[in-house]
Amino acid sequence: MQASIPSIVGQMIVFAIFVWFTMKFVWPPITKALMERQARIVDGLAAAEKGQKALAEASSRSDEALKQARTQAQEIVTAANKQAQLIVEQARGDAESEKTRIVAAGHAEVVREIAQAKDALRKQVGELAVSGAEKILKREINAGAHADLIAELAAKV
Amino acid sequence: MTAEAEAAKTPAEYVQHHLMHLSSSHDLGFISLDAWHIDTLFFSTLLGVIFLTVFRIAAVRATSGVPGKLQNFVEVLIEFVDNSVKDSFHGARDFIAPFALTIFCWVFLWNCMDLFPVDLLPSLGEHVLGLEHLRVVPSADMSATFALSISVFILIFVYSFKGKGVGGFAKEFLTHPFGAKLLPFNVILNTVEYLAKPLSLALRLFGNLYAGELIFILIALLPWWAQIIPGLGWMIFHILVVTLQAFIFMTLTIVYLSMAHENHDAH
């Protein structure tokens, strides 16, 4: 166990050199890197926060747009439905009137034809009756004498 | 084991042999004026160079991007030391923080030399290099610990003068803590206080590591089968001591320098 003065002094000189080296060549570069990284992290965090805010804003905007589009679509659908209903209604009205017209026309035709047939029939029955009566009367009476009677009959048929 | 190899020596001779420095002179006095402790100077300088090389490599490669493993390790140490300094020292840390880092790492590496098997390097030195004595733990040499604590002692005055001015320092030295009327007592107390700082710094570190080394030497005297348990126990305990003593030395240095720097009259 010995404390040697030359060793102490030598050791102090070595120590001073080491401290000087640490102070000049070790400490500054590393603390500089640390500081720079700190600054970068701060920047990064701020950017992330900004991005998050922008994202929230954009998402709320898109939500709004979506909602608007949905109501618009709803409106369009409602209008279209109304339109379709209107068209159907109109078509139905048209068809109805057409039908009435056609039916009426048919009816009129039928009535006309019936009247026509009746006329024809009446004429034929009259003629038939006349010819029948003629045949009968040919044997018994003169056609000329009873012509006015036959004509009266034919008009009654 | 090793004790058997040195069977020719008595235990007292064995211990004595282990506590001798590789010295430039045969002066064995407690305080020597001409003995260079070559082993202490060699190992402490070597360890310091290792520390500076590793840290310099990390510093050159330092990037503000994603740090590598070495950079991470170095940054952890630097931030730890920087925070320790920041906690108690209020002022520019350009000098004191690297100073504290150097102390911490250097003392830590010194202390780590105690974890080598106690006979390994000395017997290598004896049989390979023909060195008669070799002590490998610089902090178990008072010369090394006093070199540090005297450096701190000088810096205490430097920081006192810087923080309070020469007049402020003189005033505090003469009137603190009892007031101007009890000037002699102040001087006595302050002298003791100032001297106690480097003494306690150096002797605490030296005592811990010297005692640790001595216990390892004593364990090495046991028969080989009896060495395992105490050797292991002391080794594990010593891992704690190694780190703790380096930390204590650094923290006390910071505390002493901040005390010196602060102006007590300002309060």
Side-chain angles (χ1 to χ4, degrees):
Chain A
M1 195 162 75
Q2 184 185 52
S4 100
I5 305 298
S7 300
I8 292 178
V9 174
Q11 192 85 281
M12 280 169 73
I13 293 166
V14 173
F15 180 46
I17 294 169
F18 284 173
V19 169
W20 170 79
F21 188 89
T22 311
M23 197 173 93
K24 271 271 179 298
F25 301 111
V26 172
W27 192 268
I30 293 173
T31 45
K32 195 171 139 254
L34 280 172
M35 228 102 87
E36 276 170 15
R37 186 169 324 129
Q38 205 166 19
R40 278 173 62 171
I41 290 171
V42 166
D43 287 354
L45 285 177
E49 203 163 317
K50 218 158 69 178
Q52 217 151 20
K53 213 180 270 175
L55 179 69
E57 219 167 273
S59 105
S60 84
R61 233 179 307 143
S62 84
D63 271 0
E64 207 162 307
L66 207 62
K67 213 195 284 175
Q68 210 170 347
R70 210 170 280 150
T71 50
Q72 214 160 5
Q74 198 62 46
E75 272 166 27
I76 289 170
V77 166
T78 317
N81 270 343
K82 213 184 266 176
Q83 185 97 9
Q85 219 159 9
L86 213 68
I87 288 168
V88 165
E89 209 71 29
Q90 205 170 353
R92 189 176 289 151
D94 282 1
E96 201 76 34
S97 62
E98 185 76 1
K99 188 188 89 182
T100 348
R101 201 179 53 78
I102 288 168
V103 166
H107 204 69
E109 184 86 359
V110 166
V111 167
R112 204 172 48 80
E113 267 175 21
I114 285 173
Q116 224 165 18
K118 262 183 187 165
D119 263 1
L121 267 174
R122 197 180 291 140
K123 217 179 263 172
Q124 270 176 4
V125 169
E127 278 170 14
L128 259 175
V130 169
S131 71
E134 213 172 341
K135 272 172 188 165
I136 296 165
L137 288 178
K138 242 174 199 169
R139 291 179 196 171
E140 296 170 18
I141 47 172
N142 192 335
H146 297 87
D148 56 333
L149 194 71
I150 288 163
E152 196 185 331
L153 278 173
K156 264 188 194 160
V157 173
Chain B
M1 252 185 311
T2 44
E4 287 163 22
E6 314 231 353
K9 290 177 184 161
T10 66
E13 278 169 348
Y14 175 76
V15 173
Q16 195 67 42
H17 177 254
H18 261 288
L19 294 180
M20 295 278 280
H21 282 285
L22 177 65
S23 176
S24 64
S25 91
H26 292 286
D27 182 3
L28 294 177
F30 181 66
I31 293 176
S32 165
L33 289 174
D34 65 339
W36 289 86
H37 290 174
I38 295 161
D39 45 6
T40 300
L41 285 168
F42 172 75
F43 281 110
S44 63
T45 309
L46 178 71
L47 291 167
V49 168
I50 291 172
F51 149 62
L52 288 178
T53 309
V54 171
F55 273 60
R56 178 62 189 161
I57 290 171
V60 169
R61 293 194 196 151
T63 152
S64 61
V66 180
K69 278 182 180 142
L70 175 68
Q71 197 188 340
N72 238 337
F73 167 73
V74 169
E75 277 177 8
V76 165
L77 274 177
I78 283 194
E79 285 200 308
F80 158 68
V81 172
D82 202 29
N83 286 334
S84 300
V85 174
K86 213 185 293 175
D87 283 344
S88 48
F89 188 82
H90 312 293
R93 301 195 297 278
D94 300 343
F95 172 77
I96 185 169
F99 182 72
L101 177 75
T102 312
I103 286 184
F104 179 72
C105 295
W106 207 22
V107 171
F108 180 76
L109 290 174
W110 284 0
N111 296 353
C112 280
M113 292 302 287
D114 215 2
L115 299 176
F116 278 105
V118 74
D119 269 312
L120 179 68
L121 294 174
S123 49
L124 270 181
E126 191 170 349
H127 298 300
V128 179
L129 301 172
L131 304 172
E132 198 186 344
H133 301 287
L134 190 66
R135 289 187 60 190
V136 299
V137 190
S139 38
D141 180 358
M142 272 190 288
S143 313
T145 61
F146 267 109
L148 285 190
S149 73
I150 291 172
S151 304
V152 173
F153 188 58
I154 294 169
L155 281 174
I156 286 176
F157 289 103
V158 171
Y159 271 90
S160 285
F161 293 161
K162 235 167 67 173
K164 313 176 236 237
V166 179
F169 172 73
K171 190 181 165 209
E172 190 180 301
F173 194 85
L174 296 175
T175 63
H176 204 79
F178 299 125
K181 284 176 194 156
L182 292 167
L183 190 137
F185 297 102
N186 293 331
V187 171
I188 293 169
L189 194 80
N190 281 321
T191 308
V192 170
E193 199 184 316
Y194 272 94
L195 286 180
K197 281 172 185 171
L199 273 173
S200 65
L201 264 184
L203 291 180
R204 180 185 303 106
L205 180 61
F206 163 73
N208 270 283
L209 273 292
Y210 186 81
E213 198 188 14
L214 200 61
I215 302 267
F216 277 125
I217 293 169
L218 293 179
I219 290 171
L221 282 169
L222 295 169
W224 66 268
W225 48 266
Q227 289 184 19
I228 298 166
I229 301 291
L232 190 69
W234 190 240
M235 181 75 88
I236 291 168
F237 176 62
H238 234 263
I239 292 172
L240 182 72
V241 171
V242 160
T243 321
L244 194 65
Q245 286 305 321
F247 175 69
I248 288 173
F249 203 108
M250 179 195 77
T251 308
L252 285 179
T253 300
I254 297 168
V255 168
Y256 289 160
L257 292 185
S258 4
M259 276 166 65
H261 190 63
E262 260 164 35
N263 195 341
H264 295 281
D265 282 345
H267 295 305

